[in-house]
Amino acid sequence: FIYLGSMCTLLYTQIRLLTIDLKMGNFVRIGGVPVPAYLMNFQEAGALFLVLTLILMCTQEPIFWCAANQDGDFPGNGLFTTSCPEAKSHKDIYSVFCCIAMLMYFALLTDFT
């Protein structure tokens, strides 16, 4: 649900803002590298980082890795299982991405401006 509801909405917003800056030529140079002007806003830069984190989280999601083997012969098998052998190698990195995403959600909610 987080991927459909939150990630897709954030991704759409980021693509829309990037497209606007590209069409208008709104760039700021940081160390000689052109950066879209909308990323100078803390909220938007944080939202981009959150989107990237959610995409990485989605690639490591244990439920997705176990989807093809939900009826396998292992403890905890079944629909929406996260305990299949295929997911074991992805759980640690998934946990790191989850932690980063939670921190980013919290940081964006606090609105330091």
Side-chain angles (χ1 to χ4, degrees):
F1 303 115
I2 191 106
Y3 302 118
L4 290 177
S6 185
M7 183 179 74
C8 290
T9 304
L10 287 168
L11 185 60
Y12 171 77
T13 303
Q14 291 298 311
I15 291 171
R16 185 177 53 81
L17 291 172
L18 177 63
T19 304
I20 290 169
D21 275 355
L22 287 174
K23 285 181 181 177
M24 303 292 278
N26 292 338
F27 291 95
V28 175
R29 293 208 173 261
I30 298 178
V33 178
V35 175
Y38 84 94
L39 291 176
M40 296 299 103
N41 179 343
F42 168 78
Q43 291 290 110
E44 297 305 334
L48 176 63
F49 185 68
L50 177 60
V51 166
L52 295 175
T53 303
L54 289 172
I55 290 170
L56 291 171
M57 216 171 104
C58 187
T59 65
Q60 301 301 312
E61 176 67 59
I63 292 174
F64 297 155
W65 286 96
C66 292
N69 192 17
Q70 64 186 358
D71 296 323
D73 186 24
F74 56 89
N77 66 348
L79 187 61
F80 301 124
T81 185
T82 61
S83 41
C84 67
E86 292 87 351
K88 285 185 182 181
S89 63
H90 300 276
K91 283 187 178 182
D92 289 339
I93 193 71
Y94 176 74
S95 298
V96 171
F97 290 141
C98 284
C99 181
I100 293 169
M102 280 298 243
L103 291 172
M104 284 309 301
Y105 271 121
F106 179 74
L108 290 172
L109 282 174
T110 56
D111 191 11
F112 294 116
T113 58

